[in-house]
Amino acid sequence: RLNLDTKISDKFNYSLKISGRHDDTNAPVTGAGTVIGWADRALPMQSPRLSNGSYSYPWIGFQSATHPLAGALEGENKTQYDKLVANLSGEYEFIPGLKLKGTFGMENNNNLISVFRPKIDLIKPTDNTVYTLSVGGTPLSASRSYTTRRDLTFLTTLNYKKTFGEYHNLEALVG
């Protein structure tokens, strides 16, 4: 973050403010909330993997093709996010009480999302039936999306402020 306030003279000053952010995230393909819900329903007496390393299908109690460990570990859901915000403002006083103020603002956002959904087999150990785990879309699919957004703002005002005598004030704003 950068904040720079400068007074050039008694009549002119300006301000520059810049802030930026970068994030790299890697989340479960199905989303963290889904994996947490699956973990909440999983039975603690059932192993998530079989002796051969395969993911096991939940065959005790709540039977469905959900698997918190596979949902958390398999696939890819990466997001890269960049944001830059900048503001430049200035003020110039032509004569006492008459000021021109200008502000320019920019916000720039870039977002890259890369998703890969693998085919995950869950094996029911009681009869070796194979079930496919759905991880938020079609198995063996990938997608990549990029979005960018830029907002620009420009604002100018002309202010006049004058006091007449002890109790009379005149204020005007154009902009």
Side-chain angles (χ1 to χ4, degrees), residues 49-65:
R49 290 199 187 257
L50 301 176
S51 59
N52 65 4
S54 300
Y55 291 113
S56 64
Y57 178 82
W59 72 94
I60 303 171
F62 182 75
Q63 296 183 23
S64 70

Side-chain angles (χ1 to χ4, degrees), residues 50 52 122-131:
L50 301 176
N52 65 4
L122 303 179
I123 300 172
K124 188 174 183 180
T126 56
D127 60 9
N128 288 327
T129 304
V130 177
Y131 297 89

Side-chain angles (χ1 to χ4, degrees), residues 68-111:
L69 184 62
L73 298 179
E74 302 295 332
E76 182 178 285
N77 183 8
K78 291 186 178 181
T79 301
Q80 294 175 325
Y81 176 77
D82 293 303
K83 181 175 188 172
L84 177 67
V85 178
N87 290 295
L88 176 64
S89 62
E91 180 180 270
Y92 183 78
E93 186 172 22
F94 293 102
I95 59 174
L98 181 63
K99 294 181 181 180
L100 177 68
K101 295 180 181 180
T103 301
F104 172 76
M106 180 201 65
E107 180 178 335
N108 195 51
N109 294 288
N110 297 304
N111 200 17

